[in-house]
Amino acid sequence: MGTATAGKDGAATAWRNWAGNVTAAPVRVVAPASVEELREAVRRAASEGLRVKAVGTGHSFTAAAATDGVLVRPQALAGITAVDRAAGTVTVAAGTVLKDLNRALAAQGLSLTNMGDIMEQTVSGATSTGTHGTGRDSASIAAQIRALELVTADGRLLTCSEKENPEVFAAARVGIGALGIVTSLTLAVEPLFLLTAREEPMGFDRVTAEFDQHVAENEHFEFYWFPHTGNCNTKRNNRSQGPAAPPGPVSAWVEDELLSNGLFQAVNSLGRAVPATIPAIARVASRALSARTYTDIPYKVFTSPRRVRFVEMEYALPRENAVAALRELRALVDRSDLRISFPVEVRTAPADDITLSTASGRDTAYVAVHMYRGTPYRAYFTAAERIFTAHGGRPHWGKVHTRDAEYLARAYPRFGEFTALRDRLDPDRVFGNDYLRRVLGA
């Protein structure tokens, strides 16, 4: 999780993100207990000429939330504030952690339609950076937003939906913190349902040859390819009539804790110390996960614990380009002296209508590359990024990338719409920082 060390009067000495690759030294840290306190904190910072950034749990790998001004921690603004079963929505305060939201929804017999694969982030942090899972028909968490409220640079509270301030709503669902500080989100939900997960090893050549078929036949399809091998692990999640049949406690511990966290931590530590061992370890590790099928409520199927810390780059590609890019990535790894101990993750999303969503206007496949924390990652990420950009890729806003406003203006047809809105809502760049200057321009 992101951590901030606070001194007297809220003065802060340092903040670092979950992966440890981003640090910041804000002038002060504030943790408003109400929306009114947040509005006052923004007004005060603006009057002092300080910039303001809200930070969730620090799960972004970019400096999207870093600031040398006022760091806002919204965690006190938490919890479900309204449930409208007739409309199929819940309203939740922005600092709510997804784990708490999922559990609270389940207790009320409700669920999000789709979600990412971890749930440690705040709702506003996850949506603002475009966090997503995988889905044939259902898109990112941000695409499930039906209304939101945000504090603008002059301290106003703006309510946005398709009917109210629709141009702000179109952009602020994935706002990268550039348009204001989100205080509340109204999300579409549905009655709690069951998902059956089918996990199965499969060869790289087969899974890439059958990729379109797997996406078409499953509500949620994803796979992991283990570099230095021809091995993949596939996961298909589909709705089920039940009954619930969660993994047994021993099976769950072996797969989710021993193999995916404990042993994986040890393997990565060995790989970092002795990189030459990685290909052999990868061949063993990629065969350690066995086929399994289980049925449970959505958040227990979509999400899993991630205790091994890493740095990640992820690109959203036009879906029809994904397989070619993956084959190029495999060829690159095979002919290089790179040693990659983390699997490559592949997911999909349907086109959405959010201005700067990575899936805006096009059916999308996501390809994510990871490196163990503390391992040099630039050579691998630079080479992978060259492939992804050649295929028209859009970088995830919360993950490592080197793209700038010039590139992104070409990648997003509605880029100018977003920057014009930012000029209107925050002309003095109260919510600006170095990252936003790079990706959105001055």
Side-chain angles (χ1 to χ4, degrees), residues 406-428:
E406 184 184 358
Y407 176 91
L408 294 162
R410 294 194 303 271
Y412 286 94
R414 298 169 66 188
F415 188 83
E417 186 183 317
F418 188 97
T419 54
L421 181 65
R422 183 190 188 208
D423 288 342
R424 175 159 74 80
L425 290 178
D426 187 15
D428 299 324

Side-chain angles (χ1 to χ4, degrees), residues 28 40-50 52 153 430:
R28 62 176 177 266
E40 181 50 42
V42 170
R43 284 192 288 257
R44 180 185 165 199
S47 71
E48 294 172 351
L50 294 172
V52 187
V430 171

